[in-house]
């Protein structure tokens, strides 16, 4: 089964909550996405303020923002409610 963009966004944000900053290579593996697809999502998430890109030891690292944490929490609540009614997101 394929994931939609909301599910992929949830995976990326969820992976970022588990660490104190994650590099692109790690996110590619954890999110099970190609590099180009991940960069597309990361760009959108950065523009919307859900994640930040910072440079740590010369490498681009991504961290989730407070806005991203709130989005993830609310998305999980909505997903649970939708599933309880038999709906698939």
């Amino acid at each position: 089964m394929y994931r939609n963009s909301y599910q992929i966004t949830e995976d990326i944000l969820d992976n970022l909550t588990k660490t104190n900053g994650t590099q692109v290579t790690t996110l590619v593996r954890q999110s099970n996405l190609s590099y180009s697809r991940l960069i597309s999502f990361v760009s959108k998430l950065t523009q919307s303020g859900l994640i930040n890109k910072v440079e740590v030891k010369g490498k681009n690292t991504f961290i989730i923002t407070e806005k991203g944490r709130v989005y993830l929490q609310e998305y999980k609540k909505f997903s649970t409610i939708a599933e309880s009614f038999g709906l698939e997101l």
Side-chain angles (χ1 to χ4, degrees):
M1 185 169 123
Y2 292 104
R3 297 178 291 173
N4 63 35
S5 62
Y6 296 112
Q7 293 166 327
I8 293 171
T9 299
E10 177 191 16
D11 284 346
I12 292 169
L13 293 176
D14 201 32
N15 288 324
L16 289 175
T17 61
K18 296 174 185 173
T19 61
N20 193 18
T22 304
Q23 294 175 359
V24 174
T25 308
T26 305
L27 264 181
V28 165
R29 283 193 313 268
Q30 291 174 339
S31 301
N32 196 26
L33 293 170
S34 68
Y35 176 81
S36 59
R37 185 122 160 110
L38 178 72
I39 292 303
S40 172
F41 274 96
V42 164
S43 175
K44 290 175 188 172
L45 294 173
T46 303
Q47 289 174 1
S48 63
L50 298 178
I51 65 174
N52 283 332
K53 178 171 93 171
V54 295
E55 194 170 310
V56 176
K57 296 181 183 177
K59 298 187 179 200
N60 289 331
T61 304
F62 297 95
I63 57 172
I64 189 168
T65 62
E66 187 57 36
K67 182 178 177 181
R69 291 181 193 282
V70 170
Y71 172 87
L72 181 61
Q73 182 181 10
E74 295 302 318
Y75 176 81
K76 285 183 177 186
K77 280 185 203 175
F78 180 72
S79 179
T80 302
I81 292 169
E83 286 175 12
S84 71
F85 285 98
L87 302 172
E88 248 185 69
L89 300 180

